[in-house]
Amino acid sequence: MIRRLSRLVQWIEDGALVLVLVGLIGLASLQILLRNGFDTGVAWGDEAIRLMVLWLAVLGAVAASRGDRHIRIDILGRLLPPRLKLVAALIVDVFTIAVLCVLTWHASRFVRDAIEFEDRLLDGLPAWWFQLILPVGFGLMALHQLAVALLRVVGKAPTSEPGSTETP
Amino acid sequence: MIVLTSLALLLLALLGAPLFAIIAGSALLAYSREEVDLSAVAIEFFSLAEMPVLVAIPLFTFAGYLLSESGAPARLVRVTRALFGWMPGGLAVVSLAACAFFTAFTGASGVTIIALGAILYPALATAGYPDRFNLGLVTSAGSLGLLFAPSLPLILYGVVARIPIDDLFVAGLLPGLLMLVMLAGYAIFVNRNRRQSFADFSWREVAGALREAIWELPLPFVVLGGIYSGYFAVSEAAAVTALYVLLVDVVVLREVALSRLPGIMRESMLLVGGIMIILGFSLASTNIMIDAGVPQQLLEWIGTFVSDQTTFLLLTLVFLLLLGAILDIFSALVLVVPLLLPVATSFGVDPIHLGMVFLATMQLGYLTPPVGLNLFIAGYRFNKSIVDVYLSTLPFFAILLISVVIIAFWPNLSLWLLSLS
């Protein structure tokens, strides 16, 4: 059940990421074509492009959280003996989850304010539609980190080998 | 209390906490100390959507990842081999040039070692080069080309320092070439007794290699020509590149199956997300630091023992070398540049020159333990111990260090081309 749910979540996350990236490439190319070929452009195009970039950033970060592959320094952690290493990793997980929970809470307050004040973006669309990605993204990252921590306890956490297209 | 929380955050960072969490945590703490509403952190983060140049980052990164999954690396090696293979130490020069070119497109994320190293490392061995030399070459070439357009760190520096990215692209040409030429010179010198050249020059091979790479050939012209001539804005060149690479690799050449595309997109956006989330939270933490007057304090403090530009640059070099050893280039850029830049300007250092020094020095960070990314990737990829890899890169490291010193103390190398336009 949990496995099916997590697969569904992954499918939605990846689907959204692919959709936004393809949309971004399409829209950005269309803008260039219109600007250079017809001396025109979609009025809200540039703003939409910038919003898509933000969405991509958050969705990419969510994907990084799922695989526990965020950029980190990790000098001490590497040197610790296995048992302590696990303890250190769990402390770090708890800290990360805590920060993400605080962020999720305050990002949702940010969205609530935008709803209340009826902020608008993109030619009059409600701003909160686009801002919603922040609390949702941070919340998903917290959940993923929690899953990583739980898997760590049972010894099944995703290992990110250097070179397995792992990033710095 | 402030000291205590900072130490706790530092310890967590060293234990391997994600950097974005450290930065977000410190921003949240600082905001609550200054009694600013914490939702301001989210507002600052959302201002990522107000930076038009950022669009270049996902688009170029995706194009680079896609290229590395196609047959482009092999074709790139063939073209460079046909052009430079006849020189003494030819294949070494080929490797350096191909790596630099490829890194410029893939943004120095370690992809070069995986995509090109896998082809070049065995080829160098077959050509009879000593193993240690090959390992060092492939590892250190993995981040060469960082200063060439359209590399990701170069774009990110422009974003953080608020400098036109086109200017940075122009400025990076000569310092980047210097690094390339010095390493090539070393490679030729080491292999000076290897008289037998790697391949005879033949017009036929050149033509064949070029014909094979016909679809990739327009890329450098579109990107570099488009940007350098001012026809394209950087973000436009990024869009054209992404669309073009997508069409060529998936539709025309069909080297990347449609079914693999989502995976490649996810992998590349994972890197983008990892960098941009740090950028987003650092917008918040930098703002509060600037409000608190940290740059001025830093300047006053440095002013107590540094009075001239030369000493300042020297200290900056040492600082950046140490920084590069523990922090990856993207986080270092985002975190340090906003603080370093005002200080550097007050010492009369040109922001563009500072960028070249910063990036060139951080490039060395890829080769320095404990967190030199290239060392780990090469060790993993070629099945060598980290110590082996590290020792093999030492001569290359020394050469690059000399080039960094030249870049630092010869500002006109970075600024001369700009002064022409």
Side-chain angles (χ1 to χ4, degrees), chain B residues 124-391:
Chain B
L124 283 162
T126 316
Y129 290 81
D131 187 55
R132 173 149 287 197
F133 173 83
N134 302 343
L135 192 59
L137 181 97
V138 174
T139 310
S140 38
S143 46
L144 198 65
L146 210 67
L147 295 177
F148 294 134
S151 96
L152 193 51
L154 211 49
I155 297 177
L156 204 56
Y157 181 83
V159 170
V160 177
R162 295 169 199 280
I163 293 175
I165 291 165
D166 315 33
D167 287 356
L168 288 170
F169 283 178
V170 174
L173 270 178
L174 291 181
L177 272 178
L178 176 77
M179 292 182 128
L180 184 58
V181 168
M182 283 180 66
L183 278 189
Y186 170 73
I188 292 174
F189 175 75
V190 167
N191 298 293
R192 63 191 175 282
N193 293 327
R194 214 173 298 283
R195 273 275 167 253
Q196 189 200 4
S197 63
F198 168 66
D200 290 328
F201 185 84
S202 97
W203 285 111
R204 202 172 187 170
E205 172 59 16
V206 171
L210 287 181
R211 197 160 42 238
E212 193 186 64
I214 188 92
W215 287 100
E216 274 95 15
L217 283 181
L219 262 188
F221 295 101
V222 170
V223 175
L224 305 179
I227 293 172
Y228 285 136
S229 71
Y231 185 78
F232 278 136
V234 175
S235 54
E236 291 181 326
V240 172
T241 307
L243 183 69
Y244 182 82
V245 172
L246 189 65
L247 288 179
V248 166
D249 283 344
V250 179
V251 180
V252 180
L253 296 175
R254 300 193 182 191
E255 287 178 334
V256 177
L258 204 56
S259 59
R260 281 175 58 213
L261 215 46
I264 297 172
M265 288 183 164
R266 205 177 68 94
E267 277 305 310
S268 57
M269 287 312 111
L270 198 147
L271 171 69
V272 170
I275 295 170
M276 292 206 7
I277 194 166
I278 291 181
L279 178 65
F281 288 126
S282 77
L283 291 177
S285 72
T286 306
N287 257 6
I288 196 97
M289 275 199 273
I290 289 173
D291 282 353
V294 174
Q296 284 91 326
Q297 289 166 17
L298 193 67
L299 181 59
E300 276 168 32
W301 178 66
I302 292 177
T304 56
F305 54 89
V306 180
S307 53
D308 61 316
Q309 202 193 62
T310 314
T311 325
F312 171 76
L313 278 173
L314 206 61
L315 275 180
T316 307
L317 275 187
V318 175
F319 168 70
L320 290 177
L321 273 176
L322 293 175
L323 187 73
I326 56 163
L327 219 57
D328 72 283
I329 191 165
F330 303 115
S331 329
L333 266 172
V334 167
L335 290 177
V336 177
V337 169
L339 297 179
L340 186 63
L341 191 62
V343 182
T345 338
S346 79
F347 279 102
V349 179
D350 190 289
I352 291 180
H353 178 216
L354 180 75
M356 297 306 129
V357 176
F358 194 99
L359 297 177
T361 319
M362 292 309 288
Q363 183 185 326
L364 291 176
Y366 279 91
L367 303 175
T368 40
V371 288
L373 179 74
N374 285 6
L375 300 176
F376 289 101
I377 295 180
Y380 177 74
R381 191 72 186 71
F382 305 121
N383 220 351
K384 302 272 178 187
S385 82
I386 299 297
V387 180
D388 266 357
V389 181
Y390 175 57
L391 292 177

Side-chain angles (χ1 to χ4, degrees), chain A residues 59-153:
Chain A
L59 290 168
V62 170
S65 280
R66 189 167 63 218
D68 198 22
R69 285 168 60 186
H70 273 286
I71 297 177
R72 61 189 74 218
I73 301 180
D74 195 14
I75 297 174
L76 290 182
R78 238 192 279 258
L79 302 173
L80 296 173
R83 270 204 91 81
L84 272 179
K85 201 187 268 182
L86 179 67
V87 174
L90 287 176
I91 293 175
V92 161
D93 286 338
V94 169
F95 164 75
T96 310
I97 295 168
V99 170
L100 282 168
C101 287
V102 176
L103 288 172
T104 310
W105 168 246
H106 288 289
S108 61
R109 284 185 49 235
F110 164 58
V111 174
R112 249 192 341 244
D113 286 352
I115 297 176
E116 197 173 315
F117 294 109
E118 301 187 2
D119 292 346
R120 302 274 153 187
L121 282 173
L122 286 184
D123 238 6
L125 294 178
W128 67 271
W129 289 6
F130 306 96
Q131 296 165 344
L132 199 60
I133 189 69
L134 293 190
V136 170
F138 296 155
L140 281 171
M141 287 168 74
L143 283 177
H144 283 312
Q145 200 67 46
L146 182 65
V148 166
L150 293 176
L151 286 173
R152 224 191 283 285
V153 173

